[in-house]
């Protein structure tokens, strides 16, 4: 039986606050500016966190109002969410699928299909979480990457209404729900961000506290605070200050969300709690242009990123400042058109059950369409002629299914967080490889070309720790565990070390090269020297594999008109990435400090074997390092070797490794 309705709560449901739309404007403008002009606003991505707080407040205010009036219904709640979220999202997903068909390569279109499928199911954050890391392509070439935030919101609203409805039935139960969720989720976020920042960013559990913080402001008990005009002014200006600090002090290198997320979320909470009477709320947030931007904030958020992302794909580089400015203006126009002609008409029919079914069926159809595109591998007949090589060769580890799990470390992945733990056979391994994803890409070729008489084991991702580094560091613990496992295995004769160049030297993210005289990252030389010495002291031969030439993702190595219509091709023409061709002399000069680093390791440890793959992958006589050879890609994802290349290198390296054995 429901308790009597609270008049204050019921009336609050219908109180429109223009300042909250103004706060939405700050959130969406921060995100748009960060994506379009990242150098201008380093912390602009925190706008999403502001959105979370606003959403938690508004939705919970509706839920509590319905519960107080005895009119709460899960069916009605989700019908309201569908009318709010589905129309604009359906339009954007459909347009992305159509644009993808026109301009994306098969591999790119396959990934887009996967993201459309995940977006339609509101699981984009889970997909982004799974893709993040070594297999993740550049973020700005994923047109639907921004849907991760929608995934988190909708996952929250699967649980939250039910939790509130349950708590409402118990006296004082409601008061414990808000602090309980906030504290539990925040503490877990603070714990996880130190161990896995990607998981902390995309996990719904570590984000629930942000929505619950906004939700707590809708609780009747929150209204007893900040009643005086002076306190409201203080809260209002303090909230704006915290948001400005977040926008300026946080950047992509921060351990975010974690404790850093307290700045924008508390700032948003203070502004909401200050009310329309707060100075910032009254003078800035309630300003008509801000309110207007807030009204179109949801479609603006949906439109801006696909436009920027597709432009980045077509240009094969970050578009010019003018082009990005035009795209931002276009996203504003599209957002207004979507709000005026799609969202408003749908909201004008709140009691139409047929409309809800149509929206749900449409979302299901789009989700299935995305799944079909993914299953059809992006329809490989499309645009294949635009690529510099056979797109089917742009693969690494196609035979990884033949490898066996296990590397001598019990529960390596779950207990110790190791990414790679595999072996080539049940025989005791004679050769071991330690490293990161660059090592993994080479490992498949080594196993393939070694044969059954030369069993391998691979442990990663591990990096040699700096001498004297604290043993509490989890990354260092992983390496020490890997070292101990290999060192104590008497069957292992040779240890191959392979690491990405970027982990040793700061490099230009665009070219993968460095200036002459660039020093290695602090402590790296001593760390790797100590690792080599320790393996040699226990009787292992050590091979250090230098990183190969760095290229962009091979999916950007396309050129030509995207359609059969010459007029359309004026606008839909893929430009080839200039970095898909690299001069061998530029690679040599741009990696000179790295080569000197390897030479110093050799000087300190004369028995160390160095292997440089560049001479085999490049053509020194013609002074070029190609992306393809004989029409086949030498690289797979990012700057990692393909199976074509790892086979070439293994055929040269394996005979040399055999000579190192007893």
């Amino acid at each position: 039986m429901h308790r009597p309705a609270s008049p204050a709560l019921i009336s609050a449901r219908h109180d429109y606050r223009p300042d909250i739309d103004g706060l939405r404007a700050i959130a969406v403008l921060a995100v748009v500016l960060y994506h379009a002009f990242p150098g201008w606003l380093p912390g602009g991505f925190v706008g999403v966190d502001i959105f979370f707080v606003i959403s938690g407040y508004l939705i919970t205010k509706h839920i509590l109002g319905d519960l107080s009036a005895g009119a709460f219904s899960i069916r009605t709640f989700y019908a309201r969410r569908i009318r709010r979220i589905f129309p604009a999202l359906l339009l954007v997903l459909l347009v992305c699928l159509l644009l993808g068909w026109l301009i994306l390569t098969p591999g790119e279109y396959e990934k887009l299909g996967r993201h459309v499928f995940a977006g339609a199911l509101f699981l984009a954050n889970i997909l982004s979480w799974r893709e993040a890391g070594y297999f993740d392509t550049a973020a700005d070439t994923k047109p639907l990457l921004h849907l991760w935030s929608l995934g988190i919101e909708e996952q929250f609203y699967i649980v939250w209404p039910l939790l509130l409805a349950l708590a409402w039935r118990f006296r004082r139960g409601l008061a414990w729900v808000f602090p309980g969720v906030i504290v539990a989720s925040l503490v877990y976020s603070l714990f996880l961000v130190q161990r896995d920042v990607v998981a902390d960013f995309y996990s719904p559990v570590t984000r629930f506290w942000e929505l619950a913080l906004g939700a707590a402001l809708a609780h009747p008990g929150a209204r007893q605070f900040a009643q005086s005009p002076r306190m409201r002014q203080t809260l209002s200006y303090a909230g704006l200050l915290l948001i400005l600090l977040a926008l300026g002090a946080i950047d992509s290198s921060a351990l975010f969300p974690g404790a850093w997320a307290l700045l924008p979320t508390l700032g948003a909470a203070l502004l909401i709690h200050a009310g329309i009477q707060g100075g910032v709320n009254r003078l800035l947030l309630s300003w008509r242009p801000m309110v207007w931007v807030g009204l179109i904030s949801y479609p603006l958020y949906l439109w801006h990123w696909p436009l920027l992302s597709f432009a980045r794909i077509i240009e094969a580089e970050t578009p010019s400042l003018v082009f990005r400015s035009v795209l931002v203006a276009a996203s504003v126009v599209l957002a207004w058109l979507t709000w005026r002609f799609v969202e408003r008409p749908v909201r004008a029919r709140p009691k139409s059950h047929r409309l809800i079914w149509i929206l749900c069926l449409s979302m299901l159809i789009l989700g299935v369409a995305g799944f079909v595109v993914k299953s059809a591998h992006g329809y490989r007949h499309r645009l294949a002629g635009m690529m510099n090589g056979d797109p089917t060769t742009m693969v690494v580890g196609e035979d990884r299914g033949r490898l066996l799990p296990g590397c001598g470390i019990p529960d390596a992945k779950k207990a110790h967080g190791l990414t790679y733990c595999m072996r080539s056979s049940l025989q005791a391994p004679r050769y071991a490889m330690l490293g990161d994803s660059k090592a993994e890409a080479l490992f498949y070729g080594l196993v393939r070309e070694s044969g059954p008489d030369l069993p391998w084991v691979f442990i990663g991702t591990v990096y040699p720790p700096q001498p004297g580094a604290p043993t509490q560091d989890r990354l260092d613990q992983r390496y020490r565990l890997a070292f101990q496992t290999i060192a104590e295995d008497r069957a292992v004769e040779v240890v191959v070390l392979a690491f990405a160049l970027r982990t040793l030297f700061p490099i230009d993210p665009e070219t993968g090269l460095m200036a002459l005289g660039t020093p290695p990252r602090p402590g790296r030389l001593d760390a790797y020297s100590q690792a080599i010495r320790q393996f040699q002291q226990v009787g292992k031969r050590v091979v250090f594999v230098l990183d190969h030439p760095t290229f962009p993702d091979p999916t950007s190595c396309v050129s030509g008109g995207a359609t059969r219509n010459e007029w359309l091709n004026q606008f839909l023409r893929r430009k080839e990435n200039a970095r898909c061709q690299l001069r061998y002399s530029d690679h040599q000069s741009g990696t000179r400090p790295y080569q000197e680093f390897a030479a110093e390791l050799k000087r300190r440890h004369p028995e160390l074997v160095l292997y440089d793959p560049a001479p085999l992958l490049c053509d020194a006589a013609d002074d070029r390092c190609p992306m393809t050879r004989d029409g086949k890609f030498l690289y797979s994802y990012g700057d990692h070797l393909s199976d074509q290349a790892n086979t070439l290198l293994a055929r040269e390296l394996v005979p040399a490794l055999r000579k190192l054995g007893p």
Side-chain angles (χ1 to χ4, degrees), residues 468-489:
T471 57
Q472 292 84 356
D473 186 283
R474 197 175 188 194
L475 287 175
D476 292 351
Q477 288 178 345
R478 292 174 189 169
Y479 174 80
R480 291 186 172 96
L481 180 62
F483 169 78
Q484 181 180 0
T485 301
I486 299 302
E488 293 178 354
D489 191 337

Side-chain angles (χ1 to χ4, degrees), residues 19-144:
D19 60 314
I20 290 184
D21 272 328
L23 185 57
R24 278 195 179 112
I26 288 180
V28 75
L29 290 175
V31 174
V32 171
L33 288 175
Y34 172 74
H35 286 156
F37 318 105
W40 294 6
L41 206 62
F45 57 87
V46 304
V48 173
D49 303 85
I50 298 173
F51 273 128
F52 285 159
V53 176
I54 296 172
S55 177
Y57 169 71
L58 293 176
I59 299 302
T60 302
K61 187 172 72 169
H62 280 291
I63 294 174
L64 293 180
D66 287 341
L67 286 169
S68 181
F72 176 72
S73 163
I74 288 291
R75 181 177 179 180
T76 302
F77 172 80
Y78 285 121
R80 186 186 299 138
R81 290 298 295 168
I82 289 169
R83 286 195 304 272
R84 171 74 175 106
I85 299 298
F86 278 31
L89 179 60
L90 282 167
L91 180 60
V92 171
L93 290 177
L94 176 61
V95 170
C96 285
L97 271 179
L98 294 176
L99 281 177
W101 176 271
L102 289 175
I103 66 176
L104 298 184
T105 63
E108 293 168 339
Y109 199 44
E110 178 183 351
K111 293 174 185 175
L112 179 66
R114 186 161 60 239
H115 280 261
V116 168
F117 177 67
L121 294 179
F122 297 97
L123 296 173
N125 60 314
I126 305 300
L127 177 61
S128 296
W129 184 357
R130 290 181 57 187
E131 288 183 344
Y134 294 119
F135 284 96
D136 197 14
T137 56
D140 54 3
T141 61
K142 292 183 175 182
L144 295 176

Side-chain angles (χ1 to χ4, degrees), residues 6 8-9 64 168 174-175 178 215-227 273:
S6 164
L9 245 176
L64 293 180
W168 187 266
L174 196 63
F178 298 94
L217 300 173
H219 188 274
R223 297 197 185 95
Q224 62 183 306
F225 301 102
Q227 295 296 321
H273 197 53

Side-chain angles (χ1 to χ4, degrees), residues 526-546:
D526 290 339
Y528 282 70
S529 179
Q530 176 176 273
I532 293 167
R533 180 173 58 255
Q534 289 175 334
F535 276 119
Q536 290 179 340
Q537 287 175 345
V538 294
K540 314 294 185 186
R541 295 297 304 273
V542 182
V543 178
F544 184 83
V545 178
L546 278 71

Side-chain angles (χ1 to χ4, degrees), residues 302-324:
L302 290 181
W303 278 117
H304 84 281
W305 182 247
L307 294 184
L308 291 169
S309 181
F310 276 117
R312 166 66 175 81
I313 292 169
I314 290 175
E315 294 288 302
E317 60 183 359
T318 301
S320 68
L321 180 64
V322 173
F323 193 4
R324 282 176 281 153

